[in-house]
Amino acid sequence: MSDWLKLLLLGLLSIVFGVFVLGAPVVASIAITATVGILLLISGGLQVVGGFSVEGTGNKILSILMGAIMLFLGWSFIAHPLQGTISLAMLVLILFLAGGIARVFLSFQMRGTAYFWPTLISGVLSILLAGYLWSNATAELAASFLGLLLGIEMLFNGFGLVFTSLFFRSADKGNAAA
């Protein structure tokens, strides 16, 4: 399977899941918090167990300490889902910002093609979403707004991936003709 087709399928999946998330943003926020909590518990437990086999006292202590922190965070997300959702809202803000900046830079590599503007707009909208979340990050809004923002970001990411895949496909066709 070619790279552009993989990107296209990934983009379409992101669009489909974005629509599902937008249909139930509160459920999505809680599910995200619970999933992250469970993953932190699992990885923290594995980190603690693995820490006992690490060479060197300093490395052993650091590894076990990191595992304990991950265990605490996982337990905290599960025991206090609202606070976990607010914490994850801040993390998503950072991811929106980073993804938006990356798409803006990518768009300038597509200058002169039909994919420049859609990719640029996708990146700018992600950056604007990050700014909006930063200015409205309260406990009341986080319960539903995190899911809503995540769904919108998934749509933007999906469209960005679709446009990127089409750009790669057209570049492959251009290289094959030359």
Side-chain angles (χ1 to χ4, degrees):
M1 183 182 297
S2 62
D3 289 340
W4 74 266
L5 188 56
K6 291 175 189 176
L7 284 176
L8 178 66
L9 293 174
L10 188 59
L12 293 174
L13 272 176
S14 183
I15 292 168
V16 168
F17 284 120
V19 170
F20 285 134
V21 168
L22 287 174
V26 174
V27 173
S29 294
I30 294 168
I32 291 165
T33 302
T35 302
V36 169
I38 291 167
L39 291 173
L40 282 169
L41 285 173
I42 292 169
S43 59
L46 292 172
Q47 180 78 25
V48 168
V49 170
F52 288 105
S53 64
V54 173
E55 296 290 326
T57 306
N59 291 337
K60 187 176 297 227
I61 291 171
L62 183 62
S63 182
I64 293 170
L65 180 63
M66 291 301 297
I69 291 170
M70 290 167 39
L71 283 169
F72 173 76
L73 286 174
W75 168 82
S76 177
F77 277 15
I78 292 171
H80 308 287
L82 181 59
Q83 290 88 350
T85 300
I86 293 169
S87 297
L88 287 177
M90 291 294 110
L91 178 62
V92 168
L93 179 151
I94 293 166
L95 293 175
F96 282 3
L97 187 61
I101 290 170
R103 279 195 296 279
V104 166
F105 281 115
L106 177 64
S107 72
F108 286 105
Q109 294 177 351
M110 299 178 184
R111 236 177 318 181
T113 70
Y115 311 110
F116 169 73
W117 285 107
T119 305
L120 178 66
I121 291 169
S122 169
V124 168
L125 288 174
S126 290
I127 293 169
L128 290 174
L129 279 173
Y132 187 76
L133 179 59
W134 177 258
S135 65
N136 293 298
T138 63
E140 296 83 25
L141 290 176
S144 64
F145 206 60
L146 176 61
L148 181 66
L149 286 176
L150 182 62
I152 292 169
E153 172 60 17
M154 290 179 80
L155 288 176
F156 290 163
N157 185 59
F159 287 121
L161 286 170
V162 166
F163 292 129
T164 302
S165 72
L166 295 174
F167 171 75
F168 285 159
R169 187 179 115 198
S170 67
D172 285 346
K173 283 184 179 181
N175 290 337

